[in-house]
Amino acid sequence: MSAPDRKEDRVRQLLEGPHPVVPAWLAASAAARGDRLMRRRRALRRAGWTLLCAAVVAFTVWALLTHPWEVPPSGVSPPLEGW
């Protein structure tokens, strides 16, 4: 008998054998943990969207006030005298 066959036989024995008794509190505990995880995930998602929206608003206000797309005036050109 090869090693995979022995492993397969052992798995079959475990599946066919007596199953352990599940504690009564386990389902309630798992549901409570799932609720906590979902609330935490929802709060993090809301905080992320809020932060993203605040960053977009801040960038828009900054861009409207400073006009970064305009070329700054050049201070290198010589003064125009004697026209």
Side-chain angles (χ1 to χ4, degrees):
M1 185 179 277
S2 66
D5 290 336
R6 276 186 257 132
K7 289 180 182 178
E8 186 177 332
D9 288 339
R10 180 67 182 142
V11 169
R12 287 181 194 271
Q13 287 174 358
L14 289 173
L15 291 175
E16 292 172 356
H19 300 291
V21 178
V22 178
W25 53 267
L26 186 61
S29 174
R33 184 171 188 264
D35 286 342
R36 283 193 309 271
L37 288 174
M38 285 186 58
R39 273 189 270 124
R40 184 177 302 140
R41 191 174 296 146
R42 191 178 306 130
L44 286 173
R45 191 178 303 126
R46 283 182 185 162
W49 278 109
T50 304
L51 184 64
L52 179 67
C53 290
V56 167
V57 168
F59 176 77
T60 304
V61 169
W62 170 79
L64 290 174
L65 292 176
T66 60
H67 301 285
W69 54 86
E70 292 179 357
V71 179
S74 177
V76 184
S77 61
L80 296 175
E81 296 177 1
W83 273 86

